Amino acid sequence: MRVLLLGATGNLGSRCLPALIAHKHVVTGFVRNSPKLRAMMSPALLAEANAIVEGDATDSTALKKAILDHDIEGIIDVAGNIVPPWKESLLPKIASAVRDAAVAVGKQKGKPLRSWITSHLGILEYPGTSYLIQDFVPNFASSQHQATLAVTRMVPLDPKQGLFEPLNASQSHDLLVGATAPPAWESTWLGSVPLIGPPLNAIYVCLVLYPTKYEAVADLLAEDLEKENSEWIGKKVGMKEKRRKDI
C-alpha cells in the first residue's frame, strides 16, 4: 500500500517508518522538520522511502496535495505532542486536517483511504459502565485526545535507540487488540474504594497494566494496512501486551 506517514520524527513514528517499509509498503513521510528526520534515519533507510514531504500537518490542503501527488492509499497519523494545559494542543487540529484531506481525496477518487489516527486509552469505554475511561481521569490528561483514536501508553524496546536502520524483516508483535473497550480489562481492588474507586482503578490499570512497546504498535499498524478488509476499520481501538493471564 502507498502510505503517508505523519510524525516520522516522533517516538512512534520513527519506528513506523522502518516497520512500514519492512511490510513492503511504499512510504511517503510528511514531517515538519526534514533535517531532523535525516539526522535520525540512516541513509539506507531513507533511500527505501518513496519521498519526504515537509509541511504543516494541521493544513488539510497541504495534506491533500501530498496524498494526490504520491497516490496515497492509506495514512498513519502519529504526529503531535502532549503539551501543558496552558498551551494549545495541535493533536485535534492534526486529526481534523487528516480527516478532511482523506475524505476529500476519497470522494475525488471514489474510494476511501485507510487511516490510523493514534491517541490514548482514555477515549475507549470503561467496561461495565456507560462512560469513557477519560471521564474518570483528570481532564488535562485526556482533553487533548478527544478528536483522535486510541492506542495505549508506549515505551521503547531500546531506550538508547540511536540511528534508525532498515529492518531485515518485519518484527512480530504480541499484542491483544480490542475495539470500543480495552482488551482484557481488569478491575482491581482499587475499584472498591468508596467514592474514588473507579478513577483510582482506571488510572492504575491504564498506567500499570496497559503498556506497549513502540516497535510492537508500529508493526501492528503496518501489518493491518496490508489487509484489504481489516476488522478495525471505523472503530476506536485499544491494545496491550499479552501477559500470561491474558492467554
Side-chain angles (χ1 to χ4, degrees):
M1 179 177 283
R2 301 184 68 86
V3 179
L4 184 69
L5 172 62
L6 281 72
T9 59
N11 287 320
L12 177 55
S14 57
R15 275 83 176 175
C16 284
L17 181 58
L20 286 164
I21 292 172
H23 278 269
K24 309 303 182 184
H25 296 293
V26 179
V27 186
T28 296
F30 190 98
V31 296
R32 181 178 53 189
N33 186 339
S34 57
K36 179 180 179 181
L37 178 68
R38 298 184 189 283
M40 296 172 60
M41 306 296 172
S42 73
L45 179 58
L46 288 173
E48 295 190 32
N50 173 62
I52 302 299
V53 178
E54 189 170 282
D56 179 0
T58 66
D59 184 350
S60 62
T61 301
L63 291 175
K64 181 180 177 181
K65 183 177 187 304
I67 293 169
L68 291 171
D69 286 350
H70 299 280
D71 197 21
I72 297 300
E73 302 166 293
I75 302 171
I76 291 182
D77 170 23
V78 291
N81 297 311
I82 302 298
V83 297
W86 56 88
K87 290 188 177 181
E88 181 185 20
S89 171
L90 295 180
L91 291 174
K93 289 186 176 181
I94 294 172
S96 295
V98 171
R99 175 200 63 204
D100 293 346
V103 169
V105 174
K107 289 180 178 179
Q108 183 174 326
K109 290 188 171 184
K111 182 179 179 180
L113 274 69
R114 290 283 307 281
S115 301
W116 275 99
I117 303 176
T118 59
S119 178
H120 74 155
L121 203 65
I123 66 168
L124 296 178
E125 294 179 2
Y126 192 118
T129 75
S130 57
Y131 298 98
L132 301 179
I133 293 172
Q134 67 186 17
D135 295 331
F136 293 91
V137 298
N139 185 61
F140 68 83
S142 61
S143 60
Q144 297 179 37
H145 295 284
Q146 291 175 359
T148 58
L149 299 185
V151 296
T152 54
R153 180 176 67 87
M154 290 174 282
V155 295
L157 184 64
D158 178 8
K160 297 182 180 180
Q161 175 73 55
L163 202 66
F164 288 89
E165 299 281 356
L167 299 172
N168 294 325
S170 58
Q171 297 177 313
S172 60
H173 63 82
D174 195 24
L175 296 174
L176 286 174
V177 186
T180 307
W185 181 258
E186 296 183 33
S187 294
T188 69
W189 64 269
L190 291 169
S192 62
V193 176
L195 300 179
I196 60 172
L200 286 178
N201 186 72
I203 293 171
Y204 173 80
V205 170
C206 290
L207 292 179
V208 178
L209 303 182
Y210 279 79
T212 60
K213 297 292 191 299
Y214 289 114
E215 291 79 3
V217 175
D219 187 77
L220 183 143
L221 299 179
E223 177 188 77
D224 184 73
L225 288 181
E226 293 178 318
K227 303 173 183 176
E228 183 69 25
N229 297 302
S230 170
E231 61 186 299
W232 311 121
I233 292 175
K235 299 176 181 178
K236 295 188 294 184
V237 177
M239 56 194 77
K240 68 176 292 191
E241 291 182 0
K242 287 182 182 177
R243 297 189 300 158
R244 184 172 299 176
K245 65 185 303 183
D246 296 323
I247 301 174

